[in-house]
Amino acid sequence: MLKKIGLIIVDILLAAYVIAIVPFTAACGFFGIHPYAVTSGSMEPAIQTGSLVLAKETPFKELEKGDVITFMIGKDQTVTHRITAVDSKAHKFTTKGDANNTEDARRVSYKNVVGKVILHIPKAGYLLVMSGTKGRFIFIAGAGVALIALSSLLQPSVPAGKRKASPAAQEKEAKNAEKV
């Protein structure tokens, strides 16, 4: 009974993996959506530390005051803050973290904008931070392999005497029985 419950749970997780994780991973690359982890509390309470944010590449003209954007501040460092002002002529934004008392000291050039935040998932960013890019791939692939292996291990086994032979084996066995 416990094995049967385990199999059901593993099968549900495997289905969720195939339905959600695989398309999500593919969508991130194909549709201009980029996942990032929020590592500070500057956007709390709206976006908590440790959240996963999905930033979608967005044309400059579609970004406006109040939008939350993710932008590059270094080679491998991003910030997610809210737009407080738009300079259409210079293609720059003034930004501020919701929890901060003042606006950011430097304006953000549109060329540094990764995208507009379209979704944030609390706590899910911790996995992203811990895994890194290569680790993320290994984690996602490993989770799939582990779920498939668990599903196989939990499948009910059929005793050798009760296994049904293939049609070809059944035909051969019938011919042998006729000879006797």
Side-chain angles (χ1 to χ4, degrees), residues 124-148:
Y126 287 122
L127 278 175
L128 201 63
V129 170
M130 290 186 314
S131 65
T133 305
K134 288 180 183 175
R136 192 174 324 134
F137 173 76
I138 292 167
F139 174 77
I140 290 169
V145 169
L147 286 171
I148 290 168

